[in-house]
Amino acid sequence: MATTVMSGCSAMGLRDVCENPDLWAYVRTLKEHADVNVTGGQLLEGTASQSFSFDISSAVFYFGFCALISHLLLAGITAVVIQKCVSLKMVHTAGHAFYCTVAFVFFLGEALLVRHSGILVLWLGISNVDLLHSALGLLAFGIGVGGVGIKTLQKRERKREDPNATVRHFRSNHGFSGIVGCALLLCCVLSGLPLYFYTSKSLQLVHRFCALGSFATLMTSQMFSYNTGFARRQWKAHHVRLLKLFTFIALITTMNYEFRRFAREIVSLIIRQVWH
């Protein structure tokens, strides 16, 4: 009896994550899940209010509000960095900061957000939203790697001009988290492209893990970048603190929905394995 109940719940959890690509569909499925309660091994309808307090309208508002905050913060942070880098004529570290912020903050963050936008699905259709998601991810990877390459070449040039100079790259918190994020983003791209040709639950898990991991580590690298000499020279201390705060909030609000879906799927798969 317990096996039947748990397998039913785990199957619902798997469907909840894998077959609802947009936010509204996800929330509707949660509501349907809440409308089923288990008593004596029988699934009884209409007892959700006793077991769950999940309200579909508040859920839509919550996730929609987080998405709105994310869009505003990602665009705002990117605009601030772009304005500063352009005013410096994109020389030296300014070029690196420009391309990496545009790629890893804006494009990568938007790639996570648009994939679950119910409004975009209504306007464009799910296939076009998938293409937009992929395009933003590829732009993030291509432009971001270019930005990392700019800084790498600059450091090599400095070492060539002065062999005695101490040049550290990818050893600081900023550099290390950045290169780890790039590696995860590469894995995300490589695991995402095959999903256009065939469906694989395990590959979906890998792709989504790498997407969340890459965004988390690259946004962490962005926060560490505010501790560098470049940031301290270009912004006042209280402006740096605000940039750190807003970047952290953008990290949380952007990952919020996708992380919940990913966590639910992992739990569902574990339950299914344990009870089967």
Side-chain angles (χ1 to χ4, degrees):
M1 179 175 64
T3 302
T4 303
V5 171
M6 293 305 297
S7 63
C9 292
S10 64
M12 181 172 293
L14 187 62
R15 185 189 71 235
D16 168 69
V17 174
C18 296
E19 297 181 7
N20 288 338
D22 66 90
L23 183 149
W24 292 345
Y26 172 68
V27 173
R28 284 195 298 271
T29 305
L30 286 181
K31 181 61 176 175
E32 293 170 2
H33 193 180
D35 286 336
V36 180
N37 192 29
V38 179
T39 304
Q42 300 295 323
L43 296 178
L44 302 178
E45 302 290 338
T47 57
S49 59
Q50 300 174 5
S51 303
F52 298 92
S53 60
F54 194 95
D55 183 358
I56 187 170
S57 60
S58 62
V60 170
F61 174 81
Y62 170 71
F63 287 122
F65 180 74
C66 286
L68 176 62
I69 293 298
S70 295
H71 287 302
L72 293 175
L73 289 178
L74 294 175
I77 293 165
T78 304
V80 169
V81 175
I82 286 177
Q83 186 277 330
K84 179 60 67 177
C85 294
V86 170
S87 69
L88 296 173
K89 300 181 179 179
M90 303 287 287
V91 297
H92 303 300
T93 304
H96 165 71
F98 176 91
Y99 292 112
C100 287
T101 301
V102 169
F104 298 144
V105 175
F106 185 74
F107 282 142
L108 187 55
E110 289 296 330
L112 284 174
L113 291 172
V114 302
R115 182 62 183 82
H116 306 298
S117 172
I119 295 176
L120 285 179
V121 170
L122 291 175
W123 285 353
L124 304 176
I126 187 63
S127 297
N128 289 328
V129 170
D130 280 342
L131 289 174
L132 178 60
H133 166 75
S134 300
L136 289 170
L138 290 171
L139 284 171
F141 179 73
I143 296 174
V145 169
V148 173
I150 289 174
K151 191 63 177 178
T152 302
L153 292 175
Q154 290 174 353
K155 286 184 175 289
R156 288 187 175 182
E157 182 64 24
R158 181 184 174 190
K159 188 67 176 179
R160 189 162 45 246
E161 293 174 353
D162 183 6
N164 296 322
T166 301
V167 178
R168 300 176 59 203
H169 201 32
F170 304 131
R171 296 182 183 178
S172 64
N173 291 331
H174 167 60
F176 179 75
S177 56
I179 196 63
V180 170
C182 286
L184 287 171
L185 185 55
L186 174 61
C187 294
C188 179
V189 171
L190 294 178
S191 60
L193 292 176
L195 292 175
Y196 275 100
F197 306 101
Y198 68 95
T199 300
S200 169
K201 298 301 183 184
S202 59
L203 193 59
Q204 285 179 348
L205 280 176
V206 171
H207 175 67
R208 291 162 62 190
F209 170 79
C210 291
L212 289 169
S214 62
F215 183 70
T217 52
L218 289 168
M219 288 292 276
T220 300
S221 178
Q222 182 77 12
M223 287 187 281
F224 281 132
S225 73
Y226 302 138
N227 296 329
T228 62
F230 172 79
R232 291 197 299 267
R233 289 190 300 269
Q234 303 306 324
W235 289 291
K236 296 179 180 179
H238 67 280
H239 290 156
V240 170
R241 288 193 292 269
L242 285 175
L243 282 171
K244 289 181 180 179
L245 174 63
F246 291 148
T247 302
F248 178 74
I249 294 174
L251 167 64
I252 299 302
T253 55
T254 303
M255 289 183 60
N256 180 25
Y257 176 67
E258 176 60 26
F259 179 77
R260 284 169 178 250
R261 293 180 68 237
F262 180 76
R264 286 175 63 85
E265 181 166 356
I266 294 297
V267 171
S268 296
L269 291 176
I270 291 174
I271 292 175
R272 188 170 66 174
Q273 292 297 321
V274 170
W275 287 89
H276 283 272

